[in-house]
């Protein structure tokens, strides 16, 4: 019980410190902050998994950090975090040494993000279904459906 309270408190403080440029630039403080993000993500907090996953994917150093970031984003996306699911769709379409672009997987992630209320995911999904490619056939009906969904979500 006490560990959970300490973890939540440390996480909140670390998130507040993210708004202070000087705090992020201090190596010891940054390591402490990363520890708080990591601990909260390891405890299964979906918001922390998404937040720390994004940090590792975009600002992490090395392949291991990126892999861990993708793992955390995958967990958060499957748990219903719209931003994490959207980002997993982007990652699915990217090509790197471990995999090629996979439009079918991107469509699945963006469908999850759309269900969670992410308007840009609906737009990207409509574009993907309109053009097709990388393992996904073009489907004008699906494209129209997701364009309407994007409009309903505000885009």
């Amino acid at each position: 019980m006490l560990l959970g309270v300490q973890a939540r408190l440390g996480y909140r403080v670390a998130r507040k410190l993210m708004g202070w440029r000087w705090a992020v630039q201090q190596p010891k403080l940054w390591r402490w902050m990363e520890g708080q993000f990591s601990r909260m993500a390891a405890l299964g907090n979906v918001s922390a998994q998404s937040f720390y996953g994004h940090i590792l994917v975009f600002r992490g150093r090395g392949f291991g950090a990126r892999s861990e970031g993708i793992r955390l984003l995958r967990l958060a996306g499957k748990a219903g975090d719209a931003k994490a699911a959207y980002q997993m769709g982007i990652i699915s379409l990217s090509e790197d040494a471990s995999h090629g672009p996979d439009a079918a997987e991107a469509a699945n992630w963006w469908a999850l993000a759309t269900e969670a209320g992410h308007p840009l995911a609906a737009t990207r999904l409509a574009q993907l279904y309109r053009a097709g490619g990388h393992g996904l056939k073009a489907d004008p009906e699906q494209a129209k459906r997701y364009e309407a969904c994007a409009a309903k979500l505000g885009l």
Side-chain angles (χ1 to χ4, degrees):
M1 169 101 167
L2 184 60
L3 178 65
V5 172
Q6 287 176 330
R8 284 192 299 277
L9 181 60
Y11 181 72
R12 276 196 209 124
V13 170
R15 284 294 301 258
K16 292 278 187 198
L17 288 171
M18 282 294 292
W20 296 64
R21 185 179 178 98
W22 66 267
V24 175
Q25 293 176 339
Q26 303 300 315
K28 286 183 181 179
L29 185 54
W30 175 249
R31 282 193 298 278
W32 177 83
M33 290 165 62
E34 273 194 306
Q36 302 311 303
F37 301 148
S38 176
R39 178 168 61 168
M40 200 66 180
L43 289 173
N45 183 288
V46 174
S47 176
Q49 289 171 340
S50 177
F51 181 75
Y52 191 46
H54 278 93
I55 287 174
L56 290 174
V57 166
F58 290 107
R59 298 186 54 89
R61 296 179 190 250
F63 186 72
R66 180 172 168 76
S67 296
E68 177 65 5
I70 291 171
R71 184 186 77 79
L72 290 172
L73 288 174
R74 184 175 287 116
L75 288 172
K78 286 180 180 177
D81 185 89
K83 290 179 182 179
Y86 175 77
Q87 193 59 47
M88 284 305 301
I90 298 289
I91 291 168
S92 297
L93 282 180
S94 67
E95 185 172 9
D96 62 22
S98 64
H99 69 82
D102 187 347
E105 184 180 347
N108 289 335
W109 283 114
W110 285 338
L112 281 173
T114 300
E115 289 171 18
H118 199 291
L120 191 52
T123 301
R124 295 291 300 262
L125 199 48
Q127 293 169 347
L128 189 60
Y129 275 117
R130 188 161 310 290
H134 300 295
L136 185 74
K137 291 183 180 181
D139 187 344
E141 293 300 317
Q142 285 281 64
K144 287 179 188 174
R145 179 174 158 245
Y146 282 108
E147 283 172 352
C149 190
K152 190 165 52 170
L153 290 172
L155 278 184

